[in-house]
Amino acid sequence: MSLGEFLRTRRNRLTTEDVGLVSYGRRRTPGLRREEVAQLAHIGTSWYTSLEQGRNVNPSEDVLNNIAKALRLNEAERNHLHLLAKPVQKKVKEQQLNVGLVRTIRSLDPNPALIIGRYWDLLLWNKAAELVFRLPSFINNMQQRPNWMRHLLIREWQSLNKEDLEAGIKVLIAQFRADYAHFPNDPMFKELIEEFIQSSQLFREIWSLHDVQWVTERHKRSYDPRIGEMEFEHVTLQLPTDPDLKIMIYTASSDTATRLRNLMSIREH
């Protein structure tokens, strides 16, 4: 029912004023009605209802685009709609890091840098990332690598207030859902999602919103009592040969870089 739940959350966030329709009578529930979405998408109400209810109606690309337009979906949401309606399971292949990637990540100190895999397992990180994100020391032959989502959900966020935490996690969960749509039947993804739903109220609440987001550049500020004020420009890169690998780089401001460099030097001695 992921498709139906996604469609319901998208229409529930809209009002008739948002889409230029006249509202008649008092509404018992928020958002657009199914017949209003169908009207805007130029399709039958019963047909749209069948789609929300998860029946096998096999919508065309044009119909999906019309629904996306009616629901005011952004590009990431439109892509997500197509994946849910016409799922294509990606082939799962082994993910390996070449020497060039390893050297690149390590050379980026004092700018935190890390690589996460398909299931958001941390495959590699440098000394600066270890310091900023309180990660264990990287060892090549670690039997179990930390999971980035799990780490962010359970780590001690002394440096963030509740509002900052929820805003940051909301973005990450929306990106996690966008990744999951490429592997809808993958048991590993399902196991992780169930774990996070059971263990984190914050994840549970945000996951139910069905928001999706692509990786974007972000300006990030935070405070850590060990380091002080920190400021980064965050970018995520993906390899054309393996887009399921994400290279995450936090380019530090000059002041932040100086403090990180000094702290890393102290720790090494």
Side-chain angles (χ1 to χ4, degrees):
M1 291 294 291
S2 291
L3 174 59
E5 291 165 356
F6 178 68
L7 289 171
R8 279 194 294 277
T9 58
R10 299 312 93 177
R11 69 177 171 86
N12 283 345
R13 70 181 180 179
L14 293 173
T15 66
T16 51
E17 289 78 12
D18 292 332
V19 297
L21 293 178
V22 178
S23 179
Y24 296 99
R26 189 173 180 179
R27 293 179 178 246
R28 291 176 295 177
T29 57
L32 297 179
R33 295 169 177 151
R34 287 172 175 169
E35 57 266 29
E36 291 167 336
V37 176
Q39 175 188 340
L40 292 166
H42 309 293
I43 56 178
T45 300
S46 60
W47 195 94
Y48 176 78
T49 299
S50 296
L51 191 63
E52 268 203 16
Q53 292 177 343
R55 299 175 193 169
N56 188 19
V57 292
N58 194 26
S60 68
E61 298 288 318
D62 286 342
V63 166
L64 291 174
N65 286 333
N66 286 344
I67 292 173
K69 185 177 180 180
L71 292 172
R72 304 297 194 262
L73 301 189
N74 61 33
E75 190 176 357
E77 291 170 329
R78 180 187 297 266
N79 182 72
H80 191 68
L81 173 64
H82 281 265
L83 283 173
L84 292 177
K86 297 178 178 293
V88 178
Q89 181 80 26
K90 274 189 179 182
K91 185 178 179 181
V92 177
K93 61 180 181 179
E94 186 179 358
Q95 295 187 293
Q96 295 182 329
L97 306 182
N98 59 44
V99 175
L101 271 178
V102 173
R103 289 179 178 173
T104 298
I105 295 301
R106 290 176 176 167
S107 70
L108 287 171
D109 282 325
N111 302 295
L114 49 90
I115 298 178
I116 63 174
R118 180 182 305 111
Y119 305 111
W120 288 41
D121 290 325
L122 280 161
L123 305 181
L124 179 68
W125 57 95
N126 62 7
K127 293 289 186 182
E130 178 186 325
L131 178 62
V132 170
F133 299 112
R134 301 174 185 259
L135 292 166
S137 297
F138 178 81
I139 303 173
N140 232 352
N141 60 353
M142 293 175 76
Q143 290 189 344
Q144 187 173 3
R145 303 286 169 84
N147 180 277
W148 188 231
M149 181 62 73
R150 184 186 294 121
H151 179 74
L152 295 176
L153 287 171
I154 67 175
R155 67 169 281 189
E156 297 178 5
W157 289 82
Q158 298 99 327
S159 60
L160 293 175
N161 61 40
K162 187 174 185 291
E163 186 177 333
D164 290 335
L165 168 61
E166 291 185 0
I169 289 292
K170 188 172 183 179
V171 170
L172 289 170
I173 292 175
Q175 293 171 355
F176 188 77
R177 184 180 281 280
D179 286 354
Y180 168 56
H182 291 282
F183 302 93
N185 300 313
D186 190 300
M188 180 65 76
F189 256 119
K190 290 179 179 295
E191 186 178 317
L192 285 170
I193 291 166
E194 183 60 29
E195 174 197 333
F196 300 150
I197 287 175
Q198 294 297 325
S199 63
S200 171
Q201 180 182 350
L202 184 57
F203 184 93
R204 186 162 58 249
E205 291 173 353
I206 295 174
W207 188 254
S208 68
L209 300 176
H210 287 265
D211 289 340
V212 291
Q213 185 169 324
W214 283 343
V215 173
T216 55
E217 298 180 5
R218 286 196 302 146
H219 182 76
K220 183 177 176 65
R221 297 176 67 98
S222 62
Y223 173 81
D224 188 299
R226 306 162 303 154
I227 303 168
E229 292 286 345
M230 296 185 292
E231 186 174 3
F232 303 101
E233 294 297 335
H234 174 211
V235 297
T236 300
L237 309 177
Q238 292 172 273
L239 299 175
T241 54
D242 189 355
D244 296 331
L245 278 180
K246 293 185 178 62
I247 304 166
M248 303 172 70
I249 302 171
Y250 295 79
T251 305
S253 66
S254 57
D255 288 345
T256 303
T258 298
R259 286 196 298 275
L260 289 174
R261 192 180 291 110
N262 291 339
L263 281 170
M264 289 165 58
S265 176
I266 293 170
R267 292 179 64 172
E268 288 176 359
H269 295 86

